[in-house]
Amino acid sequence: MPGLAAVVLVTVGYFAVLSTIPVNSTHPVFGAPSNHYIKVIDSKNGPIFVTTSTKGAKKNIEPTYKPIIHARVGELISLHIINEDHDKHNLNLDEFNVHTNDIGYFGTQSITFVADKAGQFYFHCTLHPEMTGSITIE
């Protein structure tokens, strides 16, 4: 019985460490990420990305086309995608190897990555190319 407990403990530990590896890294990164929530909603002109952040005290969701996220080089970032549209959507940020699955109605997915280069980078939905936004890293 102690052997089984050890195997379970090692397995849980292994997957816990794997969960700390960002999608664009090969080693664990420990620390609190900045969390950015990206909703997909339907607007009168079709589906759009809407963003909000837990950074700071300001938390608002204002529907905007092509939202912009700001970050610093070296920052650990978690994107939390929530689909509130009836169509499937995904989010892709190619320069950081961020690619979600096709997310159905009220589906969610979270992806963590390290902002390891400066510049302005664009994210998009491959199913609806008009849906875009950007992340500016300084």
Side-chain angles (χ1 to χ4, degrees), residues 28-132:
V29 176
F30 299 100
S34 63
N35 293 293
H36 298 273
Y37 295 88
I38 301 173
K39 285 186 179 183
V40 177
I41 63 171
D42 191 23
S43 73
K44 62 183 176 185
N45 296 320
I48 60 171
F49 287 122
V50 177
T51 62
T52 187
S53 175
T54 60
K55 254 183 157 174
K58 185 178 179 183
K59 294 180 186 173
N60 65 7
I61 296 179
E62 185 177 312
T64 58
Y65 291 96
K66 304 178 188 334
I68 300 172
I69 296 171
H70 296 277
R72 293 180 318 277
V73 171
E75 191 172 339
L76 186 62
I77 299 171
S78 282
L79 299 179
H80 307 280
I81 297 84
I82 306 159
N83 183 6
E84 293 185 359
D85 185 37
H86 290 282
D87 291 334
K88 287 186 177 184
H89 298 281
N90 58 48
L91 185 139
N92 299 277
L93 181 58
D94 299 327
E95 293 82 2
F96 296 96
N97 196 31
V98 171
H99 305 284
T100 68
N101 298 321
D102 292 345
I103 303 168
Y105 184 51
F106 274 104
T108 64
Q109 186 173 350
S110 297
I111 293 188
T112 302
F113 68 99
V114 176
D116 57 2
K117 52 190 136 200
Q120 186 170 18
F121 307 95
Y122 296 91
F123 56 87
H124 62 280
C125 174
T126 59
L127 303 173
H128 303 89
E130 69 278 7
M131 292 177 59
T132 63

